[in-house]
Amino acid sequence: MKWLTAAGAAAALAVGGATMLGVGWRGLLLLLAFFVSGSLLTKGGGRRTARQVLANGGVAAAGALAGSWPVFASALAAAAADTWATEIGAHSRTPPRLITSGAPVSPGANGGVTLLGTAGGVLGAAFIGGLTWALGPRDLRLAAVVAVAGVLGMLIDSLLGATVQGPHDKWLDNNGVNFAMTLAGAGISAWLA
């Protein structure tokens, strides 16, 4: 598959298997919607490695294995929000600003945000939230919790990028930040649900 390296495909099969085992085919459809939407938005398609797959899908897989639809869906919503924000924000005509200080930064800088990218992230979280309602329990409150957890996870990603990751991946690399962001989205959902 052009969207995954060989190791990435193996990791995706593990995440998919855990999802199927934990929350069934509906969860697998939600996982697939996240993966396809993110891959279609990524410039040039991008080939995801095993570390990238596990950073973005590992928490969701653990939530699925625990049988928690809200934790599973919220981890995916955070990952989708971050991916959509990054890819849509790349088309912004205004330069990004550091989330912590508002100082202008170059495109692609860790912790940089744009209004267009943030709106894209909100759409990504809402997309997963809507699919959560369509595929899971028909509970509008749960769908809203998933979307909110996704948006908050995306904002936490930007904060971590600006503070802990920094300009040269000093403390955490992008995969570590993504893992922390999905964990935050899952935790927020567990707290709100």
Side-chain angles (χ1 to χ4, degrees), residues 22 29 31 35 43 46 50 53 58-59 71-72 86-87 101 105 109-110 115 119 121 138 152 161-162 172 177 187 191:
L29 286 178
L31 179 65
F35 175 70
K43 284 186 225 175
V53 169
V59 172
V71 167
F72 164 74
T86 299
E87 299 306 329
S101 68
V105 292
N110 296 327
L115 184 58
R138 300 272 171 128
L152 292 175
L172 278 181
V177 169
W191 179 60

Side-chain angles (χ1 to χ4, degrees), residues 41 43 83-94 107-108 114 116-117:
L41 285 172
K43 284 186 225 175
T83 301
W84 287 40
T86 299
E87 299 306 329
I88 292 171
H91 299 287
S92 178
R93 291 178 185 227
T94 59
T114 63
L116 181 64

